[in-house]
Amino acid sequence: MPAPTVAIVIPVFNEEAVLPELFGRLAALFEAQRDLTWRAVLVDDGSRDGSAALVRAQTQRDPRFELVELSRNFGFQAALAAGLAHARSSASGGPVDAVVTMDADLQDPPELIPALIAAWRNGAEVVRATRRSRAETGLRRVGFDAFHAVFGRLSDVTVDTNAGTFGLLGRDAIEAFHRLPERNRFFPGLRAWIGFPTADVPYDRQERAAGKPQQTFRRLVRYALDGLFSFSYLPLRVLTYTGIFVGSVGFCLGLYYVVKRLIDIETAPTGFTTLAALVLFLGGVQLIAIGVLGEYLGRIYDEVKQRPIYLVKPPRGRA
């Protein structure tokens, strides 16, 4: 039987400093695991440095490396979707049996990939690399921990909060992902949603091999909101519960004053402070409600427009 084909999908954005080491460690992995047919699909997400040129040069030296170049920066999730689609449909390497997804910064060590493949060969269709520890510190670490703690409690789908992008998908899982058309994507949530037999491989997340993190604070916040609003209706339910609570308090307060008036008990006029506090409280609740509804409606609007998630540059040298 032919050797199984495994593709490694890696989104790349301004990773010029780390790419040479990434190429070397992947090539060493390929040479050590000769019982598999390897492909490395690197998706350049509109890099502004020399990342695309480095990947292009590597594809000329080693045909096991492939470049997918997007027309501009669409974001990590779009680049990941482009890589999965390319690995699934590219005729250059034939159909793939499994796809490994990972970051380019080498915080996810390629040396763990054989363990992911071993779990896949033992029957798991989805293999998650779960973090025992992570090297981030400071505000980023606090933000990651806070998001995972909140998301794990709010999500309607059970998502392992210690698992990120790093992992493996078998052929059936890849086909299931291909059927998910949404544009605001949260990969760990989608991976949990599709189901299939799942296995976990623990590891220690390392520091970046070189350079600085490319995900800005704004992108990380947007990513967190995509995860929350794509996999939880709890914000809408909270608004409903808040409305019921505020309405009930208002009804009881009104009934209280009506009863006091009917039994001829004088009621002191409401002071300005009390009135202002009530107005500000109710106004704040309404603005929060409008904001939450806007987050959901904005994502609905994105889906209705039916724009593609990404656009790929034509290959160079095309006639």
Side-chain angles (χ1 to χ4, degrees), residues 52-286:
L54 284 176
V55 177
R56 192 176 297 108
Q58 180 66 16
T59 63
Q60 296 173 356
R61 291 190 296 267
D62 189 339
R64 294 172 298 187
F65 288 81
E66 302 174 14
L67 171 64
V68 177
E69 196 170 358
L70 303 188
S71 61
R72 64 168 177 84
N73 178 245
F74 287 90
F76 180 86
Q77 295 297 310
L80 188 61
L84 289 171
H86 179 85
R88 173 182 176 272
S89 61
S90 175
S92 60
V96 295
D97 297 291
V99 169
V100 175
T101 56
M102 61 179 291
D103 295 341
D105 55 16
L106 292 175
Q107 288 187 285
D108 302 328
E111 292 75 17
L112 189 70
I113 292 177
L116 302 179
I117 293 174
W120 167 62
R121 283 176 156 171
N122 286 333
E125 188 67 17
V126 174
V127 184
R128 302 175 300 195
T130 56
R131 296 179 289 259
R132 286 184 298 238
S133 63
R134 58 190 312 156
E136 290 94 349
T137 58
L139 185 59
R140 289 177 66 89
R141 175 62 180 270
V142 172
F144 284 132
D145 291 344
F147 165 71
H148 289 305
V150 172
F151 182 77
R153 289 172 171 80
L154 298 185
S155 175
D156 295 328
V157 177
T158 302
V159 179
D160 191 326
T161 56
N162 292 316
T165 302
F166 195 22
L168 179 145
L169 302 173
R171 184 181 297 176
D172 291 339
I174 297 168
E175 292 300 320
F177 259 92
H178 182 67
R179 297 173 59 188
L180 302 178
E182 56 226 69
R183 283 145 181 79
N184 297 290
R185 306 171 73 87
F186 180 66
F187 181 79
L190 294 175
R191 183 176 57 192
W193 184 86
I194 63 174
F196 295 106
T198 302
D200 293 328
V201 176
Y203 78 109
D204 297 306
R205 187 167 171 83
Q206 305 170 2
E207 295 183 354
R208 286 181 58 89
K212 297 180 180 180
Q214 300 301 321
Q215 290 280 25
T216 64
F217 180 75
R218 180 180 177 183
R219 285 182 177 271
L220 289 175
V221 170
R222 176 59 189 266
Y223 184 53
L225 292 178
D226 283 341
L228 176 61
F229 291 115
S230 295
F231 290 94
S232 177
Y233 296 111
L234 187 59
L236 294 174
R237 297 190 188 108
V238 168
L239 292 180
T240 301
Y241 300 150
T242 302
I244 293 173
F245 173 75
V246 172
S248 299
V249 170
F251 175 80
C252 293
L253 189 60
L255 184 61
Y256 168 74
Y257 283 116
V258 168
V259 171
K260 290 187 71 172
R261 178 66 65 182
L262 291 176
I263 61 179
D264 294 327
I265 298 178
E266 291 294 331
T267 58
T270 303
F272 172 78
T273 302
T274 304
L275 181 61
L278 287 173
V279 170
L280 290 175
F281 172 71
L282 293 175
V285 170
Q286 290 172 344

